[in-house]
Amino acid sequence: MSRDRVPGTICDRPLAVRCASLRLGPAADWDAAIVIPAKDEERRLPASLNAVGAAIRAAKDVKVGIVVVVNNTRDSTALRAFEWAADQSDVPFVLIDCAFSRAGGGVGAARRLGLDLACRYLTAQGALLTTDADTAVRADWVVRNLAELQRADLICGTVLGLPDEACALPAAIASHGSAEWEYLQASLALVARLDPQSHDPAPAHHNAAGASMAVSRRVYRAVGGLPVLRTGEDRALAERIAAHDFRVRYSADTIVETSCRMTGRAEGGMAAALRARACDSDPHVDEWLEAPETLALRHGLRGRLRAVWPDQPALHAALIADLGRSRADRIMERSPGPHFGAFFATVEQFAPRLARHRLRFSDCRRDLPQLMALLARTETATQGDLPAAPSTHRKAARDEPAY
């Protein structure tokens, strides 16, 4: 056992008002590290750790350690973590007990701290995995993540609800969910046809959740680490990695089951979404979903630009066709840079028609027929033949100043 001062990007900032760590087992040459942020999770954390321990033991001949970051807790979460680790002689374990100021706290800060520290213990080819304290990973979770990382750079796993808790949810959630589910499946199918990715074949769920993510140490450090946000840090990391042209895989095979409670620890997390679905008459749906024409324009344009990257005249021509000449000229005035992902992020910034507007369940029910019609059109069209959305495509080509 050893006690370490924890260096790094979070604890060296004044927003961290307290930070200490306890280490059990070897602190070097890990093949993989599993990072778990935990706040007020004394009841659920032991089950989460039991599941993680089983997944580690299933990954034979792979040295995997655990880093638990207990932040701003008001209960015995840290003690429960220590008690669990003390009984696991074969699993390297690091416990961080810290507090952030109200302005600098949140799950994003805790996850970033754990990931940064875990990098110290990994081999140069090591992998970072992360889950949550109210989540149970499946027994093959470590094995499947490490296998997927041979073909992609970030693995975003599938997050399901714990079966017994999901069955106990209010009926209103299921009634809302059916409309969102149909709209989501049609959206995923359309995106797969407009901008297919060889490293991320369908079905790709497009949900980047901290409850199940895996990334190599090399890629994590290359992009500057996890964005420190109070909420949404997981999707922000996926966007950052994609902007550097690393391969993001939304895997149906790396599965975890998470709490379906409606009073959660993280702002804007799953608990808040479930609560809204239970209480609101017309709640918002997942933020990835968007109106049919916007979805088709975004991913159709991205697919066409990706197909000609980095040919600047061809990029310019594709932009003119979808966004109009004046806007295409403005985008191409800037150097496209070395990364397609960052270039397309610039395209999105300069195209107000690609601005994201959060949909509600009523929007999904209303727009599903239009989305299905767009999807049907792709069944016989090739990638280069299909305009993103006919009406808006023609309007953009005239370069009208309606943007």
Side-chain angles (χ1 to χ4, degrees):
M1 181 193 311
S2 69
R3 294 179 181 272
D4 304 320
R5 175 183 176 275
V6 183
T9 56
I10 299 298
C11 283
D12 288 341
R13 292 177 179 173
L15 294 179
V17 296
R18 173 175 59 80
C19 189
S21 73
L22 176 73
R23 175 170 51 81
L24 303 174
D29 299 325
W30 298 1
D31 299 307
I34 300 172
V35 176
I36 308 173
K39 177 182 178 182
D40 298 334
E41 294 286 7
E42 63 179 3
R43 185 169 69 87
R44 292 180 180 269
L45 180 60
S48 177
L49 289 171
N50 284 338
V52 165
I56 289 174
R57 294 184 181 94
K60 298 177 181 179
D61 301 322
V62 180
K63 188 175 181 180
V64 184
I66 301 173
V67 177
V68 173
V69 184
V70 178
N71 68 293
N72 298 75
T73 197
R74 297 163 295 181
D75 65 7
S76 299
T77 299
L79 178 60
R80 298 286 88 79
F82 173 76
E83 291 173 342
W84 185 89
D87 290 335
Q88 315 294 319
S89 59
D90 58 336
V91 180
F93 191 92
V94 175
L95 171 63
I96 304 172
D97 187 6
C98 64
F100 299 104
S101 71
R102 188 174 183 84
V107 65
R111 205 183 303 274
R112 170 68 184 256
L113 174 58
L115 290 167
D116 286 357
L117 178 65
C119 285
R120 296 176 54 192
Y121 303 129
L122 291 173
T123 66
Q125 294 76 39
L128 294 160
L129 286 68
T130 182
T131 188
D132 290 332
D134 65 341
T135 299
V137 307
R138 291 199 174 171
D140 61 356
W141 184 71
V142 171
V143 171
R144 287 187 178 274
N145 269 302
L146 295 181
E148 295 265 22
L149 282 173
Q150 301 302 310
R151 299 183 294 273
D153 302 300
L154 171 68
I155 310 303
C156 301
T158 295
V159 182
L160 306 176
L162 287 166
D164 56 338
E165 296 187 17
C167 290
L169 289 171
I173 293 178
S175 63
H176 284 313
S178 60
E180 182 180 23
W181 177 255
E182 290 181 49
Y183 198 91
L184 172 62
Q185 297 310 303
S187 297
L188 293 174
L190 181 61
V191 169
R193 292 172 183 175
L194 292 174
D195 187 21
Q197 302 290 300
S198 60
H199 63 269
D200 191 26
H205 52 75
H206 287 272
N207 179 33
S212 181
M213 299 184 89
V215 62
S216 72
R217 176 184 182 273
R218 175 185 63 84
V219 169
Y220 178 80
R221 295 176 72 91
V223 303
L226 181 83
V228 182
L229 304 172
R230 292 192 65 84
T231 184
E233 81 289 346
D234 36 21
R235 289 194 174 188
L237 176 62
E239 291 170 0
R240 179 175 287 186
I241 288 174
H244 286 75
D245 288 351
F246 291 115
R247 300 161 298 172
V248 179
R249 166 80 171 117
Y250 296 96
S251 173
D253 296 326
T254 57
I255 300 172
V256 304
E257 296 173 340
T258 196
S259 165
C260 295
R261 62 190 175 191
M262 289 190 287
T263 302
R265 309 297 185 262
E267 300 175 17
M270 183 174 177
L274 289 173
R275 190 166 58 250
R277 284 158 169 74
C279 301
D280 296 353
S281 60
D282 191 17
H284 286 108
V285 296
D286 186 276
E287 63 186 29
W288 183 80
L289 297 175
E290 51 190 340
E293 289 195 350
T294 308
L295 181 80
L297 174 60
R298 185 184 313 281
H299 296 281
L301 177 58
R302 190 177 69 178
R304 287 186 286 276
L305 293 173
R306 193 194 305 276
V308 297
W309 175 264
D311 184 331
Q312 293 196 30
L315 292 171
H316 192 205
L319 290 170
I320 291 172
D322 278 301
L323 302 180
R325 179 171 294 279
S326 63
R327 200 160 299 277
D329 289 347
R330 290 183 61 192
I331 292 170
M332 295 304 295
E333 283 175 358
R334 301 186 173 198
S335 170
H339 301 301
F340 174 78
F343 169 72
F344 190 72
T346 300
V347 172
E348 292 178 302
Q349 292 172 7
F350 277 81
R353 286 168 53 213
L354 294 179
R356 294 186 179 274
H357 301 286
R358 193 79 178 268
L359 298 184
R360 294 184 179 273
F361 280 90
S362 59
D363 298 317
C364 290
R365 286 191 290 268
R366 182 194 65 222
D367 292 343
L368 182 59
Q370 181 186 1
L371 179 61
M372 295 300 295
L374 282 172
L375 180 59
R377 290 183 57 240
T378 68
E379 292 180 354
T380 55
T382 64
Q383 173 73 19
D385 294 336
L386 181 69
S391 61
T392 55
H393 174 78
R394 288 193 296 269
K395 181 177 179 180
R398 294 196 301 269
D399 205 21
E400 295 183 4
Y403 309 120

